[in-house]
């Protein structure tokens, strides 16, 4: 019988709607009572690692979660399920995907409706996640996100709707599997990536989104000795308004790594355009293009890389390609 550990961290899946319609955390996690749901199928144990709405989750909690999963694997657990709030689920999932050297299945799930709402999706998603974590075919696929009968990779999944239960989608690439009546069925393989274990997390790694008419003020404000890195969601294939260039050059001159992704929902950033502020000029200035990640994921990867002590060309190589 497979040994599955469920780690609860809070979020809507652990909350209830009160009489006024407000969704709030309760004194206890309602999911802790459902281990018997899997009796006779799996050897399931549960822990409440913390009980936080996902906007309260920081990289420090992500690191604690990563360390606990490592301990579980060393103790002989066959798979791990993490329940998490959906607002920042993709960031925690990707942090784990980057830092865990484990081969056991690690599956993250959550809910868009609280435990006592009509049509609550939490318990069903939890059951689907446990089935996935217990499946031999889920081994070695990186961290997975299981929601609404679909299986996505932590590397590329993103939240696309504020309230819909089908909110988690993988732009460009699509899900790698689906839930069937008796379990999970995979139909795609994810290219492998090397784990980057860390023992601590740094701070002051920022994310900005480019917009029409953007000037250099925000970039200038971030040109500080304490700034460790910056990710910019650029327009289109990877371009910035020319007014940003002087401040951008100063950041690079001060050895602050600047990572560029596209703000577009689909596609990858690449240095195509040769006009002022175009991707080719940005690359020549020293901006690092990161392909395949959205802004929040690129920030997590930069934070992990810097926390591991990567810099210079080593950091650039680490950041440049998320697809392989």
């Amino acid at each position: 019988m497979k040994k599955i550990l469920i780690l609860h961290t809070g979020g809507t899946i652990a909350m209830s709607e009160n009489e006024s319609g407000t969704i709030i955390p309760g004194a206890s996690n309602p999911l802790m009572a459902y281990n018997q749901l899997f009796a006779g199928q799996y050897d399931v144990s549960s822990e409440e690692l913390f009980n936080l709405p996902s906007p309260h989750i920081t990289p420090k909690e992500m690191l604690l979660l990563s360390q606990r999963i490592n301990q579980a694997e060393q103790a002989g657990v066959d798979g791990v399920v993490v329940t998490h709030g959906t607002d920042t689920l993709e960031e925690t999932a990707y942090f784990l995907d980057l830092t865990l050297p484990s081969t056991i299945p690690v599956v993250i799930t959550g809910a868009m409706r609280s435990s006592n709402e009509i049509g609550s999706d939490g318990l069903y998603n939890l059951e689907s996640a446990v089935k996935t974590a217990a499946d031999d075919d889920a081994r070695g696929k990186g961290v997975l996100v299981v929601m609404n009968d679909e299986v996505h990779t932590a590397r590329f999944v993103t939240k696309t709707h504020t309230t819909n239960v089908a909110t988690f989608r993988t732009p460009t690439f699509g899900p790698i599997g689906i839930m069937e009546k008796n379990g999970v069925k995979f139909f795609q393989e994810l290219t492998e990536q090397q784990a980057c274990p860390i023992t601590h997390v740094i701070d002051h790694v920022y994310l900005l989104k480019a917009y029409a008419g953007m000037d250099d003020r925000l970039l200038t404000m971030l040109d500080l000795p304490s700034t460790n890195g910056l990710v910019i969601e650029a327009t289109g294939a990877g371009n910035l308004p020319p007014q940003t260039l002087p401040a951008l050059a100063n950041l690079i001159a001060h050895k602050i790594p600047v990572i560029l992704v596209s703000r577009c929902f689909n596609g990858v950033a690449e240095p195509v355009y040769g006009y002022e502020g175009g991707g080719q000029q940005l690359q020549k200035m020293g901006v690092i293009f990161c392909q395949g990640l959205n802004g929040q994921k690129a920030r997590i990867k930069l934070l992990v890389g810097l926390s591991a002590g990567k810099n210079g060309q080593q950091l650039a190589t680490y950041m440049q390609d998320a697809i392989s």
Side-chain angles (χ1 to χ4, degrees):
M1 191 178 292
K2 292 288 185 71
K3 295 174 66 174
I4 305 299
L5 173 63
I6 303 175
L7 298 174
H8 297 294
T9 69
T12 299
I13 194 170
M15 296 182 189
S16 301
E17 186 179 65
N18 64 19
E19 294 177 355
S20 66
T22 301
I23 298 172
I24 56 173
S28 61
N29 187 330
L31 294 174
M32 294 290 287
Y34 285 108
N35 282 2
Q36 73 272 15
L37 178 70
F38 309 104
Q41 296 176 284
Y42 316 109
D43 179 7
V44 172
S45 59
S46 296
E47 296 177 16
E48 188 172 68
L49 205 58
F50 28 83
N51 187 8
L52 296 171
S54 67
H56 295 192
I57 300 283
T58 74
K60 292 181 180 179
E61 282 78 31
M62 297 177 193
L63 181 59
L64 289 174
L65 185 56
S66 178
Q67 292 169 338
R68 180 65 188 93
I69 294 171
N70 261 326
Q71 293 170 0
E73 180 172 16
Q74 294 166 9
V77 165
D78 296 302
V80 176
V81 171
V82 178
T83 65
H84 196 286
T86 60
D87 283 1
T88 63
L89 183 151
E90 65 190 270
E91 287 160 273
T92 296
Y94 190 48
F95 182 98
L96 297 177
D97 192 55
L98 290 169
T99 59
L100 285 173
S102 59
T103 56
I104 63 169
V106 177
V107 182
I108 301 192
T109 193
M112 296 303 293
R113 296 171 183 157
S114 61
S115 61
N116 62 343
E117 288 185 82
I118 294 174
S120 175
D121 54 330
L123 188 56
Y124 181 81
N125 285 339
L126 177 62
E127 182 181 31
S128 298
V130 169
K131 287 180 179 179
T132 303
D135 195 296
D136 289 337
D137 289 340
R139 294 181 64 87
K141 284 185 166 58
V143 175
L144 302 173
V145 174
V146 173
M147 296 276 291
N148 198 45
D149 278 333
E150 292 185 340
V151 184
H152 297 263
T153 66
R155 202 179 306 177
F156 299 123
V157 72
T158 190
K159 187 174 182 178
T160 65
H161 195 284
T162 55
T163 57
N164 196 308
V165 294
T167 180
F168 282 92
R169 291 280 184 261
T170 298
T172 304
F173 307 112
I176 66 166
I178 58 173
M179 298 305 302
E180 297 184 322
K181 182 67 176 177
N182 296 318
V184 62
K185 182 173 184 178
F186 292 99
F187 49 80
Q188 287 194 59
E189 284 290 333
L190 182 67
T191 53
E192 294 183 5
Q193 68 181 6
Q194 187 174 358
C196 184
I198 56 176
T199 59
H200 70 285
V201 288
I202 65 167
D203 51 14
H204 303 300
V205 178
Y206 300 105
L207 171 63
L208 292 180
K209 188 167 189 170
Y211 53 87
M214 183 179 186
D215 59 22
D216 64 351
R217 294 184 186 182
L218 292 175
L219 295 172
T220 299
M221 290 172 65
L222 291 177
D223 192 0
L224 301 168
S226 60
T227 298
N228 287 312
L230 171 64
V231 174
I232 302 176
E233 289 188 6
T235 61
N239 312 296
L240 292 174
Q243 295 89 341
T244 64
L245 298 182
L248 191 64
N250 287 334
L251 288 170
I252 295 169
H254 295 151
K255 306 300 183 183
I256 296 172
V258 179
I259 313 301
L260 189 141
V261 299
S262 175
R263 70 180 192 178
C264 294
F265 190 69
N266 278 294
V268 298
E270 51 185 338
V272 175
Y273 290 94
Y275 54 73
E276 188 180 10
Q280 291 186 4
Q281 182 183 13
L282 298 178
Q283 187 179 54
K284 290 177 182 177
M285 290 174 63
V287 173
I288 301 168
F289 278 67
C290 178
Q291 293 190 323
L293 296 180
N294 59 24
Q296 56 267 36
K297 295 264 186 75
R299 177 185 170 272
I300 290 293
K301 189 169 189 180
L302 178 58
L303 184 148
V304 168
L306 291 170
S307 297
K310 296 182 185 294
N311 55 54
Q313 187 55 50
Q314 186 185 31
L315 180 66
T317 301
Y318 178 70
M319 292 300 306
Q320 277 168 352
D321 195 359
I323 297 175
S324 61

